[in-house]
Amino acid sequence: MTTFKLGRRALIAAVAAIGLTGPALAEDQVVDSIHFLIPGGAGGGWDGTARGTGEALTKAGLVGTASYENMSGGGGGKAIGFLIENADSNHGTLMVNSTPIVIRSLTGVFPHNFRDLTLVSGTIGDYAAIVVGKDSLINSMDDLLAAFDADPGATAIGGGSVPGGMDHLVAAMVMEAAGKDALAVKYIPYDAGGKAMAALLSGEIAALSTGFSEAVDLANAGEVKIIGVTADDRVAAAPDAMTMKEQGIDTSFVNWRGFFAAPGLPEDKLAAYQAAIAKMYDTPEWEEVRARNGWVNIHNSGDDFQSFLEQQEQQIGDLMKKLGFL
């Protein structure tokens, strides 16, 4: 993945060239205002990402003002439809989204997909992880695979999403990459993290598929061992946790979050949004927000963002077909 960066002088020159600077704006200001459209309710991951990004952009002086609108409904589809149907009047709006825009468009939860929008930038991500209980005899993916080979039915993997949801797909993806039959993986869904942890500690499940940041919190609390992470390289937040690739399992996955704009957005406005986000990564205001939330910087801008989404769509689509969800 390529990170798009502009030096300070180049950024100011580029923005000036597209007519978005002026004597009334601070030297570093790139965009006058952004209205953030959030496809879910207050307090969720989308909400936190939009508000945290807006906080960093405004406090750093890159954006003058930020406003926020929560628009729940249709698994995120209501906000997507609104942005498409009211495109001409929403050139000042950025909508936050994440991996579900790929999954839910594949399954037909809503009729649109990311190609119907203007792709701005992927900004952060949360890798996935497989964890086991602190007292488990399993200490690595090799151990988990050996247990699976010995008794697949007794080596259930749990997760916090429904069958065919992200935790299930990650578990199936990892096992498939390890040379196992994804259809043979016994997946048990739980509707809350506490229930999943109780099942893990009681032995009802052998392992838990979860987000990396959640896994780190559980590991730091001494409740679990992280036996595999779906990152390409080890992550600083858990430097002792081995990646899947280190263990001979050639797969990676990230639950990204990023921003989209209305279709037909003028090129100058798109360039300004992308420049503001790129500049944001070098500010202490962003680092404060990022560290507070445990986010990983994963920046894909423009064409790189589209390539990343297309690869994820192919990977998830192939797996969902194999599992019978498509």
Side-chain angles (χ1 to χ4, degrees):
M1 288 174 278
T2 303
T3 299
F4 173 75
K5 291 185 178 178
L6 285 176
R8 188 169 180 275
R9 290 183 181 176
L11 176 70
I12 294 171
V15 173
I18 55 177
L20 293 171
T21 58
L25 300 184
E27 184 183 17
D28 286 338
Q29 187 167 307
V30 182
V31 177
D32 183 24
S33 65
I34 295 178
H35 181 65
F36 287 97
L37 180 61
I38 303 161
W46 285 332
D47 188 68
T49 301
R51 293 177 190 274
T53 302
E55 174 191 331
L57 287 169
T58 53
K59 285 186 174 180
L62 295 167
V63 172
T65 60
S67 57
Y68 308 90
E69 179 183 0
N70 293 88
M71 187 181 289
S72 301
K78 181 178 179 180
I80 295 171
F82 172 84
L83 193 58
I84 292 171
E85 291 160 15
N86 300 279
D88 291 344
S89 59
N90 278 278
H91 289 170
T93 298
L94 290 185
M95 181 187 68
V96 64
N97 221 292
S98 59
T99 307
I101 197 174
V102 175
I103 296 174
R104 290 168 186 166
S105 63
L106 283 170
T107 55
V109 172
F110 44 73
H112 309 292
N113 64 45
F114 59 83
R115 295 176 185 84
D116 297 313
L117 301 162
T118 296
L119 277 61
V120 181
S121 291
T123 55
I124 60 169
D126 190 14
Y127 297 108
I130 303 294
V131 305
V132 297
K134 60 182 180 180
D135 298 321
S136 173
L137 297 177
I138 295 172
N139 293 297
S140 66
M141 285 303 301
D142 279 345
D143 291 346
L144 180 63
L145 295 172
F148 179 82
D149 287 340
D151 191 347
T155 314
I157 300 177
S161 64
V162 298
M166 203 145 48
D167 291 339
H168 185 193
L169 292 175
V170 167
M173 190 182 303
V174 168
M175 297 300 277
E176 184 89 355
K180 310 304 176 184
D181 182 4
L183 288 169
V185 176
K186 184 178 180 181
Y187 176 78
I188 301 179
Y190 297 90
D191 61 6
K195 293 181 180 179
M197 273 304 302
L200 186 64
L201 298 178
S202 70
E204 182 179 331
I205 54 177
L208 180 66
S209 172
T210 188
F212 173 74
S213 57
E214 182 180 352
V216 171
D217 288 343
L218 293 170
N220 288 340
E223 296 180 329
V224 303
K225 298 179 286 189
I226 302 174
I227 61 169
V229 180
T230 62
D232 288 327
D233 302 295
R234 292 199 189 194
V235 183
D240 294 330
M242 294 181 69
T243 67
M244 296 297 175
K245 290 187 174 182
E246 282 182 276
Q247 301 177 78
I249 302 172
D250 189 17
T251 192
S252 60
F253 178 83
V254 62
N255 178 23
W256 57 271
R257 293 185 195 135
F259 293 95
F260 299 80
L265 183 74
E267 286 294 329
D268 59 344
K269 282 191 170 289
L270 174 59
Y273 289 140
Q274 291 174 332
I277 290 170
K279 184 71 173 173
M280 177 185 73
Y281 287 92
D282 295 325
T283 67
E285 291 83 4
W286 171 250
E287 179 54 27
E288 179 184 344
V289 170
R290 186 210 63 76
R292 183 175 74 219
N293 289 282
W295 295 335
V296 177
N297 284 333
I298 300 176
H299 185 202
N300 292 310
S301 194
D303 291 343
D304 291 329
F305 192 23
Q306 174 144 351
S307 296
F308 172 79
L309 293 177
E310 288 173 346
Q311 290 168 7
Q312 188 177 73
E313 182 183 57
Q314 182 70 47
Q315 183 183 32
I316 290 175
D318 288 347
L319 187 56
M320 292 186 82
K321 288 174 184 175
K322 180 177 178 63
L323 294 172
F325 292 107
L326 291 182

